[in-house]
Amino acid sequence: MASQICLPLSNQTPYYNHYRRSSPKLPSSIPRALSYHSHENNQNPSKDTLLSPLSLTKRSLNSSALALIFIGFLPRNAKASSENDLKLERYTDSEQGFTLLRPSSWIKVEKAGATVLFEEANVGSNNVGVVVNPVRLNSLGEFGTPQFVADKLIQAEKRKESTKDAEVIGVAERPGLRGLQVYEFEYKVDSTRGGMKRILSAAFVASKKLYLLNIAHSDKPESPLDTHTRAVLEEILHSFDATPSA
């Protein structure tokens, strides 16, 4: 289920600024201009093991036979993997005044309080949602710095009964349409509802309305978020912006 966040931005909201990571770099998909830093240790997923060409000489035939059986399955596995890759398409709400990329295979569902919500089929805890609310602000800067907003965001998460732990990983700020301030946040939540999750969030204020994007994806120790999926989620995060009509 999509996380809804209400901060005291005129009684609602969340956000964030430049990434403070104790580890080196985030994936190359994040623009360098954001100067992300992280609070969590960088754990780069291990690269897929490359299979060396098999020698089929008489001398090595016996030792290679079993390997050949497994290699015969590789094309099928690769095909299955590619079928599960997330493909993105542009979604624009001209009436509310925002646009973003979203997984084309994810299903649009109705949920109270959400302006729009997309969920992965059969895995509703993996979702992308947007909430639009009126505020008395002209920009996020009037509410506070990205780090200040991130702190408020985590406080709100920790107040939920289902939350066991919540930790900010990174905060960033980037320019949006016509130079508007866009805050971005990354944090992880350990919840009694779905276990460990990775949350990517972005927010901006335009025309006296607060726009909040929330991306939630499972990130459990036994099945951590893979590099490709993370890169796609970051692409969605960076695509969130106002439309000219906003």
XYZ file of all heavy atoms in Angstrom, residues 39-82:
334
model
N 23.947 8.040 4.416
C 24.197 7.680 5.797
C 24.371 6.172 5.941
O 24.703 5.691 7.001
C 22.997 8.099 6.666
C 22.839 9.584 6.727
N 23.810 10.413 7.216
C 21.814 10.388 6.338
C 23.380 11.667 7.150
N 22.181 11.654 6.617
N 24.078 5.414 4.891
C 24.186 3.963 5.038
C 25.415 3.471 4.310
O 25.916 4.098 3.403
C 22.938 3.264 4.478
C 22.887 3.285 2.977
C 21.786 2.395 2.452
O 21.047 1.841 3.259
O 21.682 2.261 1.237
N 25.930 2.360 4.736
C 27.105 1.794 4.082
C 26.741 1.354 2.695
O 25.713 0.767 2.457
C 27.625 0.568 4.860
C 28.195 0.975 6.200
O 28.773 2.058 6.298
N 28.022 0.134 7.206
N 27.622 1.638 1.762
C 27.358 1.295 0.375
C 27.619 -0.183 0.168
O 28.732 -0.647 0.383
C 28.279 2.120 -0.527
C 27.947 1.918 -1.990
O 26.836 1.521 -2.315
N 28.890 2.196 -2.853
N 26.590 -0.905 -0.212
C 26.750 -2.310 -0.458
C 26.451 -2.576 -1.905
O 25.322 -2.770 -2.294
C 25.793 -3.119 0.423
C 26.081 -2.918 1.923
C 25.105 -3.702 2.777
O 24.122 -4.206 2.269
N 25.393 -3.799 4.049
N 27.470 -2.524 -2.735
C 27.283 -2.717 -4.159
C 26.965 -4.174 -4.434
O 27.700 -5.076 -4.009
C 28.548 -2.348 -4.928
C 28.828 -0.875 -4.840
O 27.892 -0.077 -4.843
N 30.088 -0.505 -4.739
N 25.843 -4.432 -5.103
C 25.488 -5.803 -5.399
C 26.605 -6.453 -6.191
O 27.213 -5.828 -7.055
C 24.199 -5.670 -6.233
C 23.653 -4.348 -5.841
C 24.867 -3.491 -5.598
N 26.888 -7.710 -5.900
C 27.951 -8.389 -6.625
C 27.561 -8.563 -8.067
O 26.413 -8.768 -8.411
C 28.200 -9.758 -6.001
O 27.015 -10.531 -6.021
N 28.546 -8.477 -8.941
C 28.274 -8.595 -10.366
C 28.001 -10.053 -10.697
O 28.488 -10.983 -10.044
C 29.462 -8.082 -11.168
C 29.722 -6.596 -10.945
C 30.894 -6.135 -11.780
C 31.154 -4.650 -11.573
N 32.315 -4.169 -12.337
N 27.188 -10.252 -11.732
C 26.890 -11.611 -12.142
C 28.184 -12.322 -12.513
O 29.069 -11.746 -13.154
C 25.954 -11.623 -13.364
C 24.599 -11.089 -12.992
O 24.269 -11.159 -11.790
O 23.887 -10.620 -13.892
N 28.278 -13.561 -12.088
C 29.463 -14.341 -12.420
C 29.462 -14.639 -13.901
O 28.473 -15.065 -14.469
C 29.445 -15.671 -11.632
O 29.381 -15.368 -10.246
C 30.685 -16.481 -11.931
N 30.597 -14.424 -14.522
C 30.713 -14.680 -15.948
C 31.192 -16.107 -16.151
O 32.199 -16.517 -15.567
C 31.685 -13.693 -16.586
C 31.273 -12.224 -16.476
C 32.347 -11.348 -17.096
C 29.949 -12.008 -17.158
N 30.491 -16.842 -16.970
C 30.877 -18.212 -17.232
C 31.951 -18.250 -18.298
O 31.801 -17.669 -19.370
C 29.653 -19.022 -17.698
C 28.542 -19.171 -16.644
C 27.371 -19.895 -17.273
C 29.073 -19.937 -15.455
N 33.042 -18.922 -17.993
C 34.121 -19.036 -18.971
C 33.716 -20.027 -20.045
O 32.956 -20.966 -19.804
C 35.398 -19.532 -18.291
O 35.779 -18.670 -17.265
N 34.202 -19.846 -21.280
C 33.888 -20.779 -22.361
C 34.302 -22.179 -21.950
O 35.349 -22.389 -21.347
C 34.715 -20.246 -23.528
C 34.925 -18.808 -23.198
C 35.055 -18.758 -21.711
N 33.492 -23.168 -22.288
C 33.781 -24.545 -21.925
C 34.571 -25.237 -23.019
O 34.301 -25.079 -24.204
C 32.471 -25.313 -21.686
C 31.661 -24.854 -20.476
C 30.330 -25.595 -20.458
C 32.427 -25.140 -19.199
N 35.554 -25.999 -22.599
C 36.346 -26.756 -23.553
C 35.710 -28.121 -23.709
O 35.429 -28.805 -22.732
C 37.786 -26.902 -23.033
O 38.499 -27.811 -23.846
N 35.461 -28.541 -24.934
C 34.794 -29.808 -25.187
C 35.742 -30.846 -25.759
O 35.346 -31.693 -26.530
C 33.602 -29.592 -26.117
C 32.498 -28.717 -25.548
C 31.362 -28.601 -26.554
C 31.984 -29.267 -24.243
N 37.013 -30.761 -25.417
C 37.969 -31.770 -25.855
C 37.676 -33.051 -25.094
O 36.990 -33.047 -24.076
C 39.398 -31.321 -25.546
O 39.533 -31.168 -24.139
C 39.703 -29.994 -26.234
N 38.168 -34.161 -25.584
C 37.929 -35.438 -24.905
C 38.398 -35.371 -23.468
O 37.801 -35.952 -22.571
C 38.652 -36.559 -25.641
C 38.079 -36.866 -27.011
C 38.834 -38.008 -27.660
C 38.241 -38.341 -29.037
N 38.967 -39.459 -29.683
N 39.506 -34.675 -23.285
C 40.095 -34.593 -21.953
C 39.173 -33.925 -20.936
O 39.164 -34.247 -19.756
C 41.407 -33.821 -22.051
C 42.187 -33.747 -20.755
C 43.486 -33.033 -21.002
N 44.288 -32.954 -19.788
C 45.480 -32.376 -19.725
N 46.013 -31.858 -20.815
N 46.146 -32.333 -18.593
N 38.365 -32.958 -21.411
C 37.524 -32.216 -20.474
C 36.036 -32.485 -20.642
O 35.220 -31.875 -19.977
C 37.764 -30.709 -20.661
O 37.433 -30.345 -21.989
N 35.687 -33.410 -21.533
C 34.282 -33.662 -21.827
C 33.491 -34.059 -20.578
O 32.418 -33.540 -20.308
C 34.148 -34.753 -22.880
C 32.705 -35.102 -23.312
C 32.012 -33.862 -23.846
C 32.713 -36.207 -24.334
N 34.051 -35.013 -19.811
C 33.336 -35.494 -18.632
C 33.092 -34.394 -17.615
O 32.009 -34.252 -17.064
C 34.125 -36.632 -17.976
C 34.117 -37.879 -18.841
O 33.220 -38.063 -19.647
N 35.125 -38.734 -18.662
N 34.125 -33.574 -17.363
C 33.983 -32.517 -16.366
C 33.079 -31.396 -16.847
O 32.585 -30.606 -16.060
C 35.362 -31.950 -15.999
O 35.962 -31.366 -17.140
N 32.875 -31.309 -18.169
C 32.061 -30.226 -18.716
C 30.599 -30.612 -18.914
O 29.756 -29.754 -19.128
C 32.627 -29.780 -20.075
O 33.953 -29.346 -19.945
N 30.321 -31.892 -18.845
C 28.973 -32.357 -19.171
C 27.905 -31.713 -18.291
O 26.897 -31.215 -18.785
C 28.915 -33.881 -19.033
N 28.133 -31.730 -16.977
C 27.150 -31.142 -16.070
C 26.979 -29.653 -16.303
O 25.857 -29.132 -16.298
C 27.567 -31.387 -14.616
C 26.563 -30.959 -13.549
C 25.243 -31.694 -13.756
C 27.118 -31.240 -12.153
N 28.112 -28.964 -16.551
C 28.045 -27.528 -16.801
C 27.227 -27.238 -18.048
O 26.469 -26.272 -18.101
C 29.448 -26.953 -16.944
N 27.366 -28.078 -19.073
C 26.628 -27.870 -20.316
C 25.125 -27.988 -20.096
O 24.330 -27.287 -20.718
C 27.074 -28.903 -21.367
C 28.428 -28.622 -22.030
C 28.831 -29.790 -22.904
C 28.358 -27.347 -22.847
N 24.742 -28.872 -19.186
C 23.316 -29.038 -18.901
C 22.739 -27.736 -18.359
O 21.678 -27.276 -18.762
C 23.101 -30.178 -17.881
C 23.475 -31.515 -18.530
C 21.648 -30.214 -17.404
C 23.436 -32.692 -17.568
N 23.486 -27.116 -17.421
C 23.002 -25.871 -16.825
C 23.077 -24.719 -17.803
O 22.210 -23.845 -17.827
C 23.805 -25.547 -15.561
C 23.435 -26.419 -14.417
C 24.263 -27.462 -14.030
C 22.235 -26.233 -13.735
C 23.908 -28.289 -12.980
C 21.883 -27.055 -12.683
C 22.717 -28.100 -12.303
N 24.116 -24.705 -18.627
C 24.237 -23.630 -19.608
C 23.062 -23.655 -20.572
O 22.615 -22.632 -21.080
C 25.577 -23.750 -20.374
C 26.713 -23.358 -19.429
C 25.594 -22.863 -21.606
C 28.082 -23.514 -20.041
N 22.512 -24.859 -20.802
C 21.372 -24.966 -21.699
C 20.167 -24.189 -21.204
O 19.284 -23.839 -21.982
N 20.146 -23.890 -19.913
C 19.025 -23.142 -19.354
C 19.245 -21.643 -19.400
O 18.312 -20.875 -19.168
C 18.792 -23.547 -17.890
C 18.202 -24.921 -17.737
C 19.025 -25.994 -17.429
C 16.852 -25.134 -17.918
C 18.485 -27.260 -17.298
C 16.306 -26.399 -17.774
C 17.134 -27.472 -17.465
N 20.439 -21.182 -19.681
C 20.729 -19.753 -19.622
C 19.867 -18.890 -20.531
O 19.348 -17.874 -20.098
C 22.215 -19.509 -19.904
C 23.158 -19.946 -18.778
C 24.604 -19.662 -19.178
C 22.821 -19.239 -17.486
N 19.674 -19.231 -21.794
C 18.838 -18.380 -22.663
C 17.430 -18.220 -22.102
O 16.864 -17.153 -22.129
C 18.842 -19.137 -23.995
C 20.126 -19.907 -23.973
C 20.281 -20.336 -22.533
N 16.869 -19.306 -21.557
C 15.518 -19.236 -21.020
C 15.472 -18.305 -19.815
O 14.568 -17.501 -19.663
C 15.058 -20.640 -20.620
C 13.609 -20.713 -20.212
C 13.234 -22.118 -19.828
N 13.543 -23.038 -20.926
C 13.475 -24.351 -20.810
N 13.127 -24.903 -19.662
N 13.764 -25.122 -21.841
N 16.463 -18.431 -18.926
C 16.502 -17.568 -17.750
C 16.674 -16.114 -18.134
O 16.081 -15.226 -17.549
C 17.650 -17.979 -16.823
C 17.379 -19.331 -16.175
O 16.247 -19.778 -16.149
N 18.429 -19.978 -15.680
N 17.517 -15.852 -19.118
C 17.748 -14.476 -19.553
C 16.469 -13.886 -20.113
O 16.151 -12.718 -19.886
C 18.849 -14.444 -20.610
N 15.709 -14.711 -20.825
C 14.458 -14.231 -21.402
C 13.475 -13.888 -20.293
O 12.813 -12.851 -20.327
C 13.869 -15.304 -22.314
C 12.553 -14.871 -22.974
C 12.045 -15.959 -23.898
C 10.740 -15.558 -24.564
N 10.232 -16.612 -25.461
N 13.408 -14.779 -19.282
C 12.482 -14.518 -18.170
C 12.857 -13.240 -17.455
O 12.006 -12.458 -17.059
C 12.518 -15.689 -17.195
N 14.167 -13.015 -17.295
C 14.625 -11.813 -16.614
C 14.227 -10.570 -17.378
O 13.780 -9.585 -16.809
C 16.149 -11.862 -16.439
O 16.616 -10.679 -15.861
N 14.400 -10.606 -18.710
C 14.084 -9.432 -19.503
C 12.590 -9.144 -19.498
O 12.163 -7.997 -19.586
C 14.574 -9.628 -20.959
O 13.881 -10.708 -21.562
